[in-house]
Amino acid sequence: MQQLFRSPLLWVSVAVLALSGCQNTPHRAPVEDRPVGKATAPAIPGTAVTPAPESKPLPGAENAGKPGYYTVKPGDTLIRIAMDNGQGWREVARWNGMDNPNLIEVGQVLRVIPPGLDPNAATTRPLATSKVETRPLDGKSPAPATTTAAASAPASAATVPAAPATPVATKDDDDISWGWPASGAVAAGFDEVRNKGMAFSGKAGDPVFAAADGRVMYAGAGLRGYGNMIIIKHSTNYLTAYAHNQTLLVKEDQVVRKGQKIAEMGSSDADSVKLHFEVRKQGKPIDPSKLLPAR
């Protein structure tokens, strides 16, 4: 009898263990590779696959390579771009509808000539010009950015005053009367490779003079290698730059006259006290000695 009772119990135990084993053994489904996120339908052989949407093109990309436009390169600043194209940075910012002139991107294409001007004509013949405005320096002109604000120039959009509604008044190239920007000796002459202007020696505090009538397009320290610098536009084609000053005495958008003291000589961003003076025609450095009168 004991043998008979053991046999059924053993059979039941084996059956229970078998069922338990079936329940605990996971059922493995075939592995399927699926991308994380929204499921996508598998590609069907012989059908076209829609490409992923491309990134949004940078502003002005459709004008890349066209005359009158400039493609931003690594290390560029708006001040440098404007000076190299004979323009004021505020005008370039306005022509391109820039809310914050600090924000430019590599590959962005900027207009560097006034709207409505034929770009092809601009690169092949002198541009039309107008006479210098003769209003007195009475302090009633639009408030320009201060030298401190311009030191990080272009300043943030919150501190940059609105650009003038009218273009800078200039005179014909042939009407420009040139003068020496400093009384010191010429320490270095023009060299297209090593020195894009002339260097004048002197001591800290010596006066720096405007080389011709014009309007201040920039006054600040926002261009590396130039220190405290002033840029003056004299005509549509000509501008001058005065670098390494210790003190700036004029502000942006201010009308200046030939021989007017505009700064004091210094050594900002330089290894010694000196004035670095450039003349640029359509943004390209030229030899100032060919324009300056005999001493």
Side-chain angles (χ1 to χ4, degrees):
M1 292 293 292
Q2 193 172 8
Q3 293 284 343
L4 293 175
F5 280 112
R6 282 181 182 176
S7 297
L9 287 174
L10 181 59
W11 176 258
V12 171
S13 298
V14 171
V16 170
L17 290 173
L19 289 174
S20 176
C22 293
Q23 290 175 352
N24 292 334
T25 302
H27 177 69
R28 298 182 180 273
V31 176
E32 182 179 357
D33 292 328
R34 296 186 179 182
V36 178
K38 183 182 292 186
T40 56
I44 301 174
T47 61
V49 177
T50 304
E54 298 181 358
S55 58
K56 185 178 180 181
L58 292 172
E62 68 278 6
N63 296 314
K66 294 181 182 178
Y69 291 88
Y70 176 82
T71 302
V72 178
K73 299 178 178 62
D76 277 344
T77 64
L78 193 61
I79 299 169
R80 168 72 73 178
I81 293 169
M83 185 171 73
D84 287 349
N85 287 277
Q87 308 293 351
W89 70 266
R90 291 178 184 273
E91 282 65 42
V92 174
R94 187 175 72 251
W95 298 338
N96 291 278
M98 300 172 67
D99 295 328
N100 185 350
N102 286 314
L103 299 179
I104 57 175
E105 301 179 75
V106 174
Q108 182 177 351
V109 180
L110 300 174
R111 170 182 281 275
V112 291
I113 63 170
L117 189 68
D118 181 357
N120 295 303
T123 59
T124 57
R125 66 172 183 269
L127 308 179
T129 56
S130 58
K131 297 296 182 180
V132 170
E133 184 181 38
T134 57
R135 63 177 178 176
L137 303 178
D138 54 6
K140 296 181 180 180
S141 58
T146 63
T147 301
T148 302
S152 59
S156 65
T159 59
V160 174
T166 56
V168 175
T170 55
K171 61 167 59 177
D172 294 332
D173 294 341
D174 293 339
D175 293 337
I176 299 175
S177 175
W178 297 98
W180 290 80
S183 57
V186 176
F190 177 81
D191 185 296
E192 291 184 359
V193 178
R194 294 173 295 179
N195 186 25
K196 298 185 182 302
M198 296 174 66
F200 292 85
S201 60
K203 63 182 185 298
D206 281 354
V208 175
F209 308 108
D213 295 350
R215 188 184 297 274
V216 178
M217 303 302 293
Y218 177 72
L223 193 58
R224 182 176 299 176
Y226 284 82
N228 295 322
M229 180 178 67
I230 294 170
I231 300 175
I232 299 175
K233 191 160 188 175
H234 306 285
S235 70
T236 303
N237 292 324
Y238 281 96
L239 59 78
T240 52
Y242 312 74
H244 305 309
N245 306 286
Q246 72 172 11
T247 306
L248 305 182
L249 304 177
V250 294
K251 298 179 180 181
E252 291 182 19
D253 200 40
Q254 181 176 331
V255 173
V256 295
R257 302 300 176 198
K258 171 187 172 183
Q260 178 179 337
K261 183 179 177 180
I262 58 174
E264 293 179 351
M265 194 179 296
S267 59
S268 58
D269 217 353
D271 55 4
S272 62
V273 174
K274 60 184 175 182
L275 170 67
H276 174 76
F277 174 67
E278 290 185 14
V279 177
R280 295 197 174 212
K281 183 176 183 181
Q282 293 184 339
K284 307 304 179 185
I286 63 173
D287 188 351
S289 65
K290 295 182 179 179
L291 300 174
L292 299 176
R295 275 183 167 177

